[in-house]
Structures are given as C-alpha cells and as structure tokens.
Coordinates of all heavy atoms in Angstrom, one line a residue:
F19 N 133.6 -7.8 -98.6 CA 133.8 -7.0 -99.7 C 134.9 -7.6 -100.7 O 134.9 -7.4 -101.9 CB 134.2 -5.6 -99.3 CG 133.1 -4.8 -98.7 CD1 133.0 -4.5 -97.4 CD2 132.1 -4.2 -99.6 CE1 132.0 -3.7 -96.8 CE2 131.1 -3.4 -99.1 CZ 131.0 -3.2 -97.7
F20 N 135.8 -8.3 -100.1 CA 136.9 -8.9 -100.8 C 137.0 -10.3 -100.4 O 137.8 -10.7 -99.5 CB 138.3 -8.1 -100.5 CG 138.2 -6.7 -100.8 CD1 137.9 -5.7 -99.8 CD2 138.3 -6.2 -102.1 CE1 137.8 -4.4 -100.1 CE2 138.2 -4.8 -102.4 CZ 138.0 -4.0 -101.4
P21 N 136.3 -11.2 -101.1 CA 136.2 -12.6 -100.6 C 137.4 -13.5 -100.9 O 137.6 -14.6 -100.4 CB 135.0 -13.2 -101.4 CG 134.7 -12.2 -102.5 CD 135.3 -10.9 -102.1
D22 N 138.4 -12.9 -101.8 CA 139.6 -13.7 -102.0 C 140.8 -12.8 -101.8 O 140.8 -11.6 -101.8 CB 139.6 -14.3 -103.4 CG 139.5 -13.3 -104.5 OD1 140.1 -12.2 -104.5 OD2 138.7 -13.5 -105.5
V23 N 141.9 -13.4 -101.7 CA 143.2 -12.7 -101.4 C 143.6 -11.8 -102.5 O 144.0 -10.7 -102.3 CB 144.3 -13.8 -101.1 CG1 145.7 -13.1 -101.0 CG2 144.0 -14.6 -99.9
Q24 N 143.4 -12.2 -103.7 CA 143.8 -11.4 -104.9 C 143.1 -10.1 -104.9 O 143.6 -9.1 -105.2 CB 143.6 -12.2 -106.2 CG 144.5 -13.4 -106.4 CD 144.0 -14.6 -105.6 OE1 142.9 -14.7 -105.1 NE2 144.9 -15.6 -105.4
G25 N 141.7 -10.1 -104.7 CA 141.0 -8.9 -104.7 C 141.4 -7.9 -103.5 O 141.5 -6.7 -103.7
F26 N 141.6 -8.6 -102.4 CA 142.1 -7.8 -101.2 C 143.4 -7.1 -101.5 O 143.6 -5.9 -101.3 CB 142.2 -8.7 -100.0 CG 142.8 -8.1 -98.8 CD1 142.1 -7.2 -98.0 CD2 144.1 -8.4 -98.4 CE1 142.6 -6.6 -96.9 CE2 144.6 -7.8 -97.3 CZ 143.9 -6.9 -96.5
M27 N 144.3 -7.9 -102.0 CA 145.7 -7.3 -102.3 C 145.6 -6.3 -103.4 O 146.4 -5.3 -103.3 CB 146.7 -8.5 -102.6 CG 147.0 -9.3 -101.4 SD 147.6 -8.4 -100.0 CE 149.0 -7.6 -100.6
A28 N 144.8 -6.4 -104.4 CA 144.7 -5.4 -105.4 C 144.2 -4.1 -104.8 O 144.7 -3.0 -105.1 CB 143.7 -5.8 -106.5
M29 N 143.2 -4.1 -103.9 CA 142.7 -3.0 -103.2 C 143.8 -2.3 -102.3 O 144.0 -1.1 -102.4 CB 141.5 -3.4 -102.3 CG 140.9 -2.2 -101.5 SD 141.7 -2.0 -99.8 CE 141.4 -3.6 -99.1
V30 N 144.6 -3.2 -101.6 CA 145.6 -2.6 -100.7 C 146.7 -2.0 -101.6 O 147.1 -0.8 -101.2 CB 146.2 -3.8 -99.9 CG1 147.5 -3.3 -99.1 CG2 145.2 -4.3 -98.9
K31 N 147.2 -2.6 -102.6 CA 148.3 -2.1 -103.4 C 147.8 -0.8 -104.1 O 148.7 0.1 -104.3 CB 148.7 -3.1 -104.5 CG 149.5 -4.3 -103.8 CD 149.8 -5.3 -104.9 CE 150.4 -6.5 -104.2 NZ 150.7 -7.6 -105.2
K32 N 146.6 -0.7 -104.5 CA 146.1 0.5 -105.2 C 145.8 1.7 -104.2 O 146.3 2.8 -104.5 CB 144.8 0.2 -105.9 CG 144.3 1.4 -106.7 CD 143.1 1.0 -107.5 CE 142.6 2.2 -108.3 NZ 141.3 2.0 -109.0
G33 N 145.2 1.5 -103.1 CA 144.8 2.5 -102.2 C 145.5 2.7 -100.9 O 145.3 3.7 -100.2
Y34 N 146.4 1.7 -100.6 CA 147.1 1.8 -99.2 C 148.6 1.6 -99.4 O 149.2 0.9 -98.5 CB 146.4 0.7 -98.3 CG 145.0 1.0 -98.0 CD1 144.0 0.6 -98.9 CD2 144.6 1.8 -97.0 CE1 142.7 0.9 -98.7 CE2 143.3 2.1 -96.7 CZ 142.3 1.6 -97.5 OH 141.0 1.9 -97.3
Q35 N 149.2 2.2 -100.4 CA 150.7 2.1 -100.6 C 151.5 2.3 -99.3 O 152.4 1.6 -99.0 CB 151.1 3.0 -101.7 CG 150.8 2.5 -103.1 CD 151.9 1.5 -103.5 OE1 153.1 1.6 -103.2 NE2 151.4 0.4 -104.2
P36 N 151.1 3.3 -98.5 CA 152.0 3.6 -97.3 C 152.1 2.4 -96.3 O 153.1 2.2 -95.7 CB 151.3 4.9 -96.7 CG 150.7 5.6 -97.9 CD 150.2 4.4 -98.8
V37 N 151.0 1.7 -96.2 CA 151.0 0.6 -95.2 C 151.4 -0.7 -95.9 O 151.9 -1.6 -95.3 CB 149.7 0.4 -94.5 CG1 149.5 1.6 -93.5 CG2 148.5 0.1 -95.3
W38 N 151.2 -0.8 -97.2 CA 151.6 -2.0 -98.0 C 153.1 -2.0 -98.1 O 153.7 -3.1 -98.1 CB 150.9 -2.0 -99.3 CG 151.4 -3.2 -100.2 CD1 151.2 -4.5 -100.0 CD2 152.2 -3.1 -101.4 NE1 151.8 -5.3 -100.9 CE2 152.4 -4.4 -101.8 CE3 152.7 -2.0 -102.1 CZ2 153.1 -4.7 -103.0 CZ3 153.4 -2.3 -103.3 CH2 153.6 -3.7 -103.7
N39 N 153.7 -0.9 -98.3 CA 155.2 -0.8 -98.6 C 155.8 0.3 -97.8 O 156.3 1.2 -98.4 CB 155.4 -0.7 -100.1 CG 156.9 -0.9 -100.4 OD1 157.6 -1.4 -99.6 ND2 157.2 -0.3 -101.6
P40 N 155.8 0.3 -96.5 CA 156.3 1.4 -95.7 C 157.8 1.4 -95.6 O 158.4 0.4 -95.6 CB 155.7 1.2 -94.3 CG 155.6 -0.3 -94.2 CD 155.2 -0.7 -95.6
K41 N 158.4 2.6 -95.6 CA 159.8 2.8 -95.3 C 160.0 2.5 -93.9 O 161.0 1.9 -93.5 CB 160.3 4.2 -95.7 CG 160.6 4.3 -97.2 CD 161.4 5.6 -97.4 CE 161.8 5.7 -98.9 NZ 162.6 6.9 -99.1
N42 N 159.1 3.1 -93.0 CA 159.1 2.8 -91.6 C 157.7 3.2 -91.1 O 156.9 3.9 -91.7 CB 160.3 3.5 -90.9 CG 160.2 5.0 -91.1 OD1 159.2 5.7 -90.8 ND2 161.3 5.6 -91.5
Y43 N 157.5 2.8 -89.9 CA 156.2 3.1 -89.1 C 156.4 3.0 -87.7 O 157.4 2.4 -87.2 CB 155.1 2.2 -89.6 CG 155.3 0.7 -89.3 CD1 154.8 0.2 -88.1 CD2 156.0 -0.1 -90.1 CE1 155.0 -1.1 -87.7 CE2 156.2 -1.5 -89.8 CZ 155.7 -2.0 -88.6 OH 155.9 -3.3 -88.3
D44 N 155.5 3.7 -87.0 CA 155.5 3.7 -85.5 C 154.1 3.9 -85.0 O 153.3 4.6 -85.7 CB 156.4 4.8 -85.0 CG 156.8 4.5 -83.5 OD1 156.6 3.5 -83.0 OD2 157.3 5.5 -82.9
F45 N 153.8 3.4 -83.9 CA 152.4 3.6 -83.4 C 152.2 4.9 -82.8 O 153.1 5.4 -82.0 CB 152.1 2.4 -82.4 CG 151.9 1.1 -83.1 CD1 153.0 0.2 -83.1 CD2 150.8 0.8 -83.8 CE1 152.9 -1.0 -83.7 CE2 150.7 -0.4 -84.4 CZ 151.8 -1.3 -84.4
G46 N 151.1 5.5 -83.1 CA 150.7 6.8 -82.5 C 149.7 6.6 -81.4 O 149.8 5.7 -80.6
R47 N 148.8 7.5 -81.3 CA 147.8 7.5 -80.3 C 146.8 6.3 -80.4 O 146.6 5.8 -81.5 CB 146.9 8.8 -80.2 CG 147.8 10.0 -79.9 CD 146.9 11.2 -80.0 NE 146.6 11.4 -81.4 CZ 145.9 12.4 -81.9 NH1 145.6 13.4 -81.2 NH2 145.6 12.5 -83.2
T48 N 146.3 5.8 -79.3 CA 145.4 4.7 -79.2 C 144.1 5.3 -78.5 O 144.3 5.9 -77.4 CB 145.9 3.5 -78.4 OG1 147.1 3.1 -79.0 CG2 144.9 2.4 -78.4
K49 N 143.0 5.1 -79.1 CA 141.7 5.5 -78.4 C 141.3 4.3 -77.6 O 141.3 3.2 -78.1 CB 140.7 5.8 -79.5 CG 139.7 6.8 -79.1 CD 138.7 7.2 -80.2 CE 138.0 8.4 -80.0 NZ 137.1 8.7 -81.2
E50 N 140.9 4.6 -76.4 CA 140.5 3.5 -75.5 C 139.4 2.7 -76.0 O 138.6 3.1 -76.8 CB 140.1 4.1 -74.1 CG 141.2 4.8 -73.4 CD 142.4 3.8 -73.1 OE1 142.1 2.7 -72.6 OE2 143.5 4.3 -73.2
P51 N 139.4 1.4 -75.7 CA 138.4 0.5 -76.3 C 137.0 1.0 -76.0 O 136.7 1.5 -74.8 CB 138.6 -0.8 -75.5 CG 140.0 -0.8 -75.1 CD 140.4 0.7 -74.8
K52 N 136.2 1.0 -77.0 CA 134.8 1.5 -76.9 C 133.9 0.7 -77.8 O 134.3 0.6 -79.0 CB 134.7 3.0 -77.2 CG 133.3 3.6 -77.0 CD 133.3 5.1 -77.3 CE 131.9 5.6 -77.3 NZ 131.8 7.0 -77.7
D53 N 132.8 0.3 -77.4 CA 131.9 -0.5 -78.2 C 132.6 -1.7 -78.9 O 132.3 -2.0 -80.0 CB 131.2 0.4 -79.3 CG 130.5 1.5 -78.7 OD1 129.9 1.4 -77.6 OD2 130.3 2.6 -79.3
G54 N 133.5 -2.3 -78.2 CA 134.2 -3.5 -78.7 C 135.3 -3.1 -79.7 O 135.7 -4.0 -80.4
Q55 N 135.6 -1.9 -79.9 CA 136.6 -1.5 -80.9 C 137.7 -0.6 -80.3 O 137.5 0.0 -79.3 CB 135.9 -0.7 -82.1 CG 134.9 -1.5 -82.8 CD 134.5 -0.8 -84.1 OE1 134.5 0.4 -84.2 NE2 133.9 -1.6 -85.0
I56 N 138.8 -0.7 -81.0 CA 140.0 0.2 -80.6 C 140.3 1.0 -81.9 O 140.3 0.4 -83.0 CB 141.2 -0.7 -80.2 CG1 141.0 -1.3 -78.8 CG2 142.5 0.2 -80.2 CD1 142.1 -2.1 -78.4
V57 N 140.6 2.2 -81.7 CA 141.1 3.0 -82.8 C 142.6 3.3 -82.6 O 143.0 3.9 -81.5 CB 140.3 4.4 -83.0 CG1 140.9 5.2 -84.1 CG2 138.8 4.1 -83.3
Q58 N 143.4 2.9 -83.5 CA 144.9 3.0 -83.4 C 145.5 3.8 -84.5 O 145.3 3.4 -85.7 CB 145.5 1.6 -83.4 CG 147.0 1.5 -83.3 CD 147.6 2.1 -82.1 OE1 147.3 1.6 -81.0 NE2 148.4 3.2 -82.1
E59 N 146.2 4.8 -84.2 CA 147.0 5.6 -85.2 C 148.3 4.9 -85.5 O 148.9 4.4 -84.6 CB 147.3 7.0 -84.8 CG 146.1 7.9 -84.7 CD 146.5 9.3 -84.3 OE1 147.6 9.6 -84.0 OE2 145.6 10.2 -84.4
L60 N 148.7 4.9 -86.8 CA 150.0 4.4 -87.2 C 150.6 5.5 -88.0 O 150.1 6.0 -89.0 CB 149.8 3.2 -88.1 CG 151.1 2.4 -88.4 CD1 151.7 1.7 -87.2 CD2 150.9 1.5 -89.6
L61 N 151.8 6.0 -87.6 CA 152.5 7.0 -88.2 C 153.5 6.3 -89.2 O 154.3 5.5 -88.8 CB 153.3 7.9 -87.2 CG 152.4 8.4 -86.0 CD1 153.3 9.1 -85.0 CD2 151.3 9.3 -86.5

C-alpha cells in the first residue's frame, strides 16, 4: 500500500499521531499466537 518511506510516514503522521509521537506507552494485553499472528495492545 505504501511502497516508499515518504508515503508510509505521511500516513502515520496523519492517522497515527499517538504512536508516532507518544508522550508515553506501555504494553497491554497480548492475544496468544493464532494463525501465525499475535494481537498486542499498546496503551
């Protein structure tokens, strides 16, 4: 979807401010691995 760094970063800065520039963060719950994936919450 974002073949270059600039497009990726534009998307992150526009829609994901909390993870792009967090004041702080901590890991929450982790869903056990299933179908080769892990679901991880980040507070």
Side-chain angles (χ1 to χ4, degrees):
F19 286 106
F20 303 97
D22 60 44
V23 174
Q24 294 77 19
F26 173 76
M27 289 307 300
M29 176 271 301
V30 169
K31 289 175 184 178
K32 182 177 180 184
Y34 295 88
Q35 279 283 320
V37 294
W38 175 66
N39 188 20
K41 278 192 173 183
N42 58 53
Y43 65 91
D44 197 14
F45 291 98
R47 295 176 294 186
T48 306
K49 208 174 197 182
E50 293 300 317
K52 182 179 175 185
D53 300 330
Q55 296 191 338
I56 289 177
V57 176
Q58 175 65 60
E59 286 183 354
L60 186 73
L61 310 173

